[in-house]
Structure formats: C-alpha cells, structure tokens
Amino acid sequence: DTAVSQTPKYLVTQMGNDKSIKCEQNLGHDTMYWYKQDSKKFLKIMFSYNNKELIINETVPNRFSPKSPDKAHLNLHINSLELGDSAVYFCASSQDRTLAGSPGEQYFGPGTRLTVT
Amino acid sequence: KNQVEQSPQSLIILEGKNCTLQCNYTVSPFSNLRWYKQDTGRGPVSLTIMTFSENTKSNGRYTATLDADTKQSSLHITASQLSDSASYICVVSVGGSYIPTFGRGTSLIVHP
C-alpha cells in the first residue's frame, strides 16, 4: 500500500491557469506538508498543516494555498501559474511533533512534476 | 539565520569504496538532525535521526555522526553499492518549529 500518494504525477499547463495537486496519506498522521524542489534539487518547505494550525513559509506567494478536506488529505491549489512555478512538488506527512516540539519523521510522496509553458 | 551547508556538492566513487558526506549547521535551538536519501524521480526517504545527546547512529551500511559542539554531522557509507547513487540531504529541525532547515544535498554517483 502506498503511504503518501500524489496526483497527478506530471502536470503541464500554460501561464495564467489555475491548477490543483492532490495528496493523500494512509498512515494516520496528524501533520502534512508541501515542498517545492527546484531544478537545482533544493527542497523548500511551503506549508505545514495539521487540524489545529497552518504554518506558512513566509516566502511562499499567496497564489499558493493548501486545502484540507480531512486529516488524510492536503491538496495544493495554485492560481495564476507563472513560469517560475515549474518544479517538482512533494507532499509529506508526519506523526505530529516529537517531544522536543519539532516535526516527527516525514514520509514523502513520489512528487508531481509541474511544467508551466 | 538558520542555515545548513553540505559538502561536497557532488561525489563520484567506485563501487565497494567508502565515502563520507559532511553537514554543517547554524540552527538554534537545535532539536534534531536527519539524513535523507533521495533517489532520482522519487521522494526523500529518512535514513537516520539524531538528537542532541546522540553521537552516532547506524542504519545498515549508513552511519551518521553528530558533534553538537561544533555543529557538524557526517554520513559515512561503507562498501558502496550502485544503488547508493542518489542525493543525500541533511535536515535540521529547530525546537518548537514546524519549519525544518534543509541543506542543498550531496549528489553521490557510484560507478561499477
């Protein structure tokens, strides 16, 4: 069984469009995340979300918004897509946080390669 | 500013050889440090996690070390295999924060 799944795996779209990427985890985890990995393979966290709070990386444009219909899903909506949004987007989940107050081990999905033309 | 620096940026070794990857961090307050392996076209997978009080942790042929005084960690790979070819990412968590700090990774290529 796939622990963290994402759809679609590939997404090609034009500038200005609005698109969504879906993420589901069957691990029973409390916290989910979205990451962006650029062409230089640098992973950058975008959001951290559980049923209590949404933590947003302040560098993320407000064109990006996470939507969570339930604890097992965290979808990523992107409005007015730009060329610079082209990247691989990873969803991840963890069992809330460790005793030290930081996130537990994160399990990543397979990624969605977004290409904006 | 919290930062994680990894070296080398890339590394090529022959199958069967050992190698060591480095991670230096300036993160405060330190919570834990993880090493992830990312195969091409896949999401990262956790190899080890180390807290402040741990100096060494092994996972098969992977051994991570942590020196909290000098804020350095290393990942040692023993008897490398072709399947070790991947990107290795060092991630440091700040106490009380959901936003971990990622290094840019070391790209390892193992040749037969």
Side-chain angles (χ1 to χ4, degrees):
Chain A
D1 285 345
T2 303
V4 182
S5 60
Q6 297 178 225
T7 54
K9 187 169 177 62
Y10 300 95
L11 180 57
V12 181
T13 187
Q14 292 183 328
M15 285 175 55
N17 286 347
D18 302 337
K19 290 293 179 183
S20 296
I21 306 172
K22 295 184 178 181
C23 177
E24 177 181 2
Q25 54 96 3
N26 62 7
L27 297 167
H29 286 167
D30 296 318
T31 306
M32 298 183 72
Y33 312 80
W34 275 104
Y35 289 82
K36 178 181 180 181
Q37 188 169 45
D38 59 26
S39 57
K40 296 185 178 180
K41 307 295 185 185
F42 183 44
L43 266 172
K44 182 178 178 181
I45 190 167
M46 302 175 70
F47 304 101
S48 167
Y49 181 82
N50 62 21
N51 57 2
K52 298 173 186 175
E53 61 182 329
L54 169 67
I55 307 295
I56 303 172
N57 188 326
E58 59 188 12
T59 65
V60 175
N62 57 16
R63 297 181 295 104
F64 291 79
S65 59
K67 297 285 194 303
S68 180
D70 55 57
K71 201 172 78 167
H73 297 83
L74 184 66
N75 304 324
L76 181 65
H77 295 269
I78 315 171
N79 295 325
S80 303
L81 278 157
E82 301 177 357
L83 293 177
D85 297 333
S86 295
V88 180
Y89 291 84
F90 287 98
C91 176
S93 71
S94 70
Q95 185 54 51
D96 207 348
R97 41 187 157 175
T98 65
L99 291 175
S102 58
E105 177 181 351
Q106 296 183 22
Y107 293 77
F108 285 80
T112 295
R113 181 173 293 278
L114 171 66
T115 302
V116 182
T117 61
Chain B
K1 181 180 178 181
N2 293 327
Q3 285 187 317
V4 175
E5 301 287 342
Q6 291 187 243
S7 61
Q9 185 175 349
S10 60
L11 182 61
I12 300 174
I13 61 174
L14 292 176
E15 187 179 11
K17 298 295 185 183
N18 303 336
C19 67
T20 300
L21 314 181
Q22 299 290 342
C23 173
N24 297 338
Y25 61 92
T26 54
V27 170
S28 182
F30 175 86
S31 175
N32 59 61
L33 183 148
R34 291 188 175 90
W35 283 94
Y36 283 87
K37 178 187 179 187
Q38 185 176 18
D39 292 315
T40 300
R42 293 178 174 270
V45 175
S46 179
L47 292 174
T48 64
I49 176 173
M50 302 181 72
T51 58
F52 185 86
S53 59
E54 296 175 300
N55 300 119
T56 303
K57 184 165 281 189
S58 292
N59 178 359
R61 294 179 297 101
Y62 300 101
T63 299
T65 65
L66 175 64
D67 186 333
D69 291 332
T70 61
K71 298 187 177 181
Q72 295 180 328
S73 175
S74 65
L75 181 68
H76 186 75
I77 304 175
T78 304
S80 61
Q81 300 176 358
L82 298 180
S83 60
D84 292 332
S85 295
S87 179
Y88 292 84
I89 305 169
C90 177
V91 183
V92 183
S93 292
V94 178
S97 172
Y98 280 110
I99 309 295
T101 303
F102 282 72
R104 290 186 172 270
T106 292
S107 176
L108 174 66
I109 299 174
V110 180
H111 279 313

